Amino acid sequence: MSPRLEDENPDRLYMVTGGRSDATDDGLDLVTLIVSECDPTPGMQSEHARILRLCVSPMAVVEVAAELRLPVGVARILLRDLLDMGRITARNPRPVPAAARLPEPEMLKQVLVGLQKL
């Protein structure tokens, strides 16, 4: 059975990130898709190697964190390392085009009134 996140040793998390704790300005949000660009290499940090194996197919940052059973902030630090080394690609989701957004409530009311008159 895998350890629960609450049981994670804080010293281990410190070591995994090299003492870094802030990944807020890394450009990786929870739904950014991560794709591996290479295979793991011998001697690579085990978490980095696992990310590369997980992300052969696109996987969201939040999914990577869940699979690694690590806090999202820790996973983002590891992902930033790999991104800086060119070992992964990060794809931010595209914004929804204006044409695909929902119509205004007033327009929907008018359509409903028109349908009721039929």
Side-chain angles (χ1 to χ4, degrees):
M1 185 172 171
S2 297
R4 292 189 329 241
L5 188 58
E6 300 84 31
D7 296 337
E8 191 66 53
N9 181 346
D11 293 336
R12 178 179 171 274
L13 296 179
Y14 181 86
M15 291 182 63
V16 163
T17 63
R20 295 167 292 156
S21 62
D22 188 21
T24 54
D25 294 331
D26 63 5
L28 301 173
D29 60 24
L30 296 178
V31 294
T32 299
L33 294 177
I34 305 298
V35 180
S36 300
E37 294 296 330
C38 64
D39 292 325
T41 56
M44 179 181 276
Q45 182 176 340
S46 63
E47 290 82 7
H48 285 155
R50 185 143 183 243
I51 290 169
L52 292 177
R53 286 191 295 274
L54 284 170
C55 295
V56 172
S57 297
M59 183 175 274
V61 169
V62 71
E63 294 174 301
V64 172
E67 287 290 327
L68 294 176
R69 301 192 56 77
L70 290 173
V72 173
V74 172
R76 287 173 57 191
I77 290 169
L78 296 171
L79 291 167
R80 175 49 62 188
D81 292 345
L82 291 170
L83 192 59
D84 291 346
M85 291 185 274
R87 294 178 182 258
I88 61 170
T89 301
R91 299 179 191 159
N92 288 318
R94 295 181 188 158
V96 176
R101 294 189 186 131
L102 293 176
E104 294 295 320
E106 186 58 39
M107 173 65 83
L108 292 174
K109 288 177 187 175
Q110 291 174 5
V111 169
L112 183 58
V113 168
L115 289 172
Q116 289 171 340
K117 289 182 179 180
L118 292 176

